[in-house]
Amino acid sequence: MTAGTNRTQAGKESDAGDGSKERGESQGSKGSQGAKGSQGSGGAAGTAGTAGAVATGRAAKIDRLAELTRRTGATVGNSLWKEAFRRLRSNRMAVIGAVVIALFVVVAVVGPWVTPYSPTAQTWRGEVLANQGKFVGARGENWFGLDHLGRDMFSRMLVGARQTLLVGVVSMLIGLLLGALIGTLSGAAVTLGGRAGRRIDTVVMRVIDILLSLPSLLLAVSIAAVMGQSLTTVMIAVGVVQIPVFARLLRGSMLAQGGADYVLAAKALGIRRKRIVLTQILPNSLSPVIVQATLSLATAIIEAAALSYLGLGNPDPAVPEWGVMLSQAQRFFDNAPMMAVYPAVGIIITALGFTLLGEAMREALDPKLRG
Amino acid sequence: MLRLVVRRLLQLIPTLLGLSVLLFLWLNRLPGGPASAILGERATEADVARINRALGLDQPVWVQYGRFLKRVVQLDLGTSTQTGQPVWDEFVLRFPATVELSVAAMLIAVAAGIPLGYLAARRRGGWLDVTAVSGSLIGICVPVFFLALLLKGVFAVGLGLFPSYGRLSTGLDATGVTGFAVLDGLLTGEFDATWDALVHLVLPAVTLASIPLAVIVRMTRASVLEVVGEDYVRTAESKGLEKRVVRVRHVLRNALLPVVTAVGLLTGSLLSGAVLTESVFSFGGIGSFIRTSIDARDYPVLVGFIMFIAMVYVLINLLVDLAYSLIDPRVRVH
């Protein structure tokens, strides 16, 4: 009996303390994330914080209860994913996106083995030279025609799919892993670290905001300038650009989850706060990150193409990558537009597939959009 | 209002300082370094040391950073290795072209995007909605420079409807008053020059508008759909307000809040799209200059440009905040 009351009291106290902290923090983050309209409420939370611990504790609890009704979707845990998957399957956008991605992956994996000709051999060079710059279009032996050096475009497209997928996936993973690490640390620092933690978080987020304020293409160009010209550079440059996006997203998501009722429940059960962050808050904060990862694949592929266009892409002409092919084709665009159109359409369709799936996932996971 | 402006301007300082640190570190990491740039690849170590001493590169990093910062504050961004002119002067010379292009693109995006998004939301599921949504999804996925090539190939080279490069036809020169070709023509009374500048602007502006247009259509649509379901809209309707009044004052006014933010952020990112667009159309703004600077590894220009863009970006953010307080009374109260 005494032990029981002791525990609840301790729980209350700690609740009152970090309840107000979290309140202020999450409001603040909302304010700076673009919903500037909440600046007023952020200030209100700040004054409430000074109004006395007892009152704040109660206010925080009431607020939390109020949030329960709003947040039912995000608090159900596993069934959220099941529910989301069910919604995804019935979403036409998601199905089209998934089919496109599946086709792309199959081509990327199998493609290099089934090419009708070598993608690098300049088999029809003589013919192209004889044509004096005129593009050899689609025909029986070369389905997509020839490029400016007399290589088979169809074979190059097949092999290029793998390179393109590689660039997209690797750069997305660089952004995702590093960004998620920074985001988790920042989110955990706020939740666990007290005043020092929040200070660390502020500094980290400032740096992230600076990086976010730079146009991503320029950031990638600067990185590529330091590292020199190669496929690895493109992947790192495009990946690093995504880091602040993932970091900011995961941190925000973790802070938003911090006030959820299952966190309260875990606290009431006396689970250590570090454990709560890692086993409760983090897994529940991941859904927006997964959506962003899907969308990032699309941006990564497009951005890699832009870097290639700017002359920072893979310099090795023997390795066909759609972005590089497209940037090579621009010189011949007036005479041989199809040479650019094939890789461009490849990039557009692939990016579209990832965008469709990502958008559909966002809709499926967003409790607000659920009917 | 004034206090808000001052506070926000003060908040810029740490951001710009942080950025300058990043840029300084970046400059230090660049391959080669100034010594080998001056002396060439086969410089002896003694020569390199001499140049480093002359340039102050042997001093502690923080001293070097202090000097870097001092120069940046004085708007001394160094000298372009391509043209031999101060970077700042090069920017001032080329900025009007880029602003002209960006403003035209944003006007197209906003003027077409908001009505499209609104109509798509009002007729959800209709053909306009389906077209707008799928069109904007595709719009985001088309690489900007490919769209530029395509539009140029079809409408300039193929059909000959528009000029394929530049800001003005040769022989016409209305620039000089403000540097904005369209405006200068009007000011000097050379209306044919204004018309010529406008015609030159069409294809680049449409290209550059593609991504913001797609984003604005989707945001407006989503935002209108959300607001239409709000209680206050139902209340307004049920108390018998005119449909037009509800649409403008209740739906649009609230739905446009997130769109305003997006427009601000998009304006910042327009500048990097401008690098790609301008280089395809040889538009002669900052974008084209950056494109050649990348090729020439003209680092002072690149550093200056990033600093410059960051400043423009933060200032745009400030303007967005101020616009917010005009549209949303809740912000003003605070």
Side-chain angles (χ1 to χ4, degrees), chain B residues 34-35 38 46-59 67:
Chain B
I38 293 170
D47 283 342
V48 170
R50 201 160 43 84
I51 291 282
N52 279 347
R53 206 165 35 246
L55 293 174
L57 294 176
D58 54 342
Q59 286 166 336
R67 259 201 326 236

Side-chain angles (χ1 to χ4, degrees), chain A residues 25-36 38 67 70-71:
Chain A
E25 244 335 291
S26 71
Q27 297 278 17
S29 76
K30 260 188 221 157
S32 56
Q33 262 173 6
K36 300 267 155 61
S38 66
E67 278 193 28
R70 271 193 280 143
R71 274 233 193 96

Side-chain angles (χ1 to χ4, degrees), chain A residues 34-37 39-40 43 93 206-207 209-219 221-223 225-229 298 302 305-306 309-312 323 326-327 330 333-334 337 340-341 344-345 347-348 351-353 355-356 359 362 368, chain B residues 4 7-8 11 14-15 18-19 22 26 29-31 133-134 137-138 140-146 149-150 152-153 157 218 226 261 268-269 271-272 275-276 279-280 290-291 294-295 297 299 302 305-306 309-310 313 321 324 328 330-331 334:
Chain A
K36 300 267 155 61
Q39 269 180 350
M93 236 164 73
R206 260 293 140 77
V207 176
D209 283 346
I210 294 171
L211 291 177
L212 272 179
S213 80
L214 294 176
S216 56
L217 187 67
L218 277 169
L219 198 56
V221 165
S222 338
I223 295 166
V226 176
M227 297 187 46
Q229 208 181 343
I302 297 170
Y309 170 77
L310 291 176
L312 296 162
L326 180 51
S327 66
Q330 55 158 324
F333 194 78
D334 292 341
V341 168
V345 168
I347 289 171
I348 294 169
L352 199 58
T355 308
L356 284 174
E359 291 294 335
R362 197 213 299 267
K368 243 196 214 160
Chain B
L4 181 69
R7 207 184 56 203
R8 294 278 309 175
Q11 280 172 358
T15 311
L19 186 70
L22 287 181
W26 176 67
R29 297 283 310 150
L30 281 173
V133 169
S134 41
L137 278 174
I138 295 171
I140 293 171
C141 293
V142 178
V144 175
F145 64 92
F146 177 68
L149 283 172
L150 202 64
K152 184 174 149 181
V157 179
R218 286 165 39 110
E226 201 179 312
T261 317
S269 66
L271 286 169
S272 71
V275 174
L276 299 168
S279 78
V280 173
I290 293 307
R291 171 78 172 89
I294 291 171
D295 285 344
R297 305 281 184 268
Y299 295 122
L302 294 181
F305 184 57
I306 291 175
I309 274 208
Y313 201 83
D321 277 7
Y324 243 94
D328 191 346
R330 280 171 299 183
V331 180
H334 180 60

Side-chain angles (χ1 to χ4, degrees), chain B residues 293-316:
Chain B
S293 301
I294 291 171
D295 285 344
R297 305 281 184 268
D298 191 346
Y299 295 122
V301 170
L302 294 181
V303 169
F305 184 57
I306 291 175
M307 207 70 201
F308 186 71
I309 274 208
M311 271 190 265
V312 171
Y313 201 83
V314 234
L315 284 177
I316 287 172

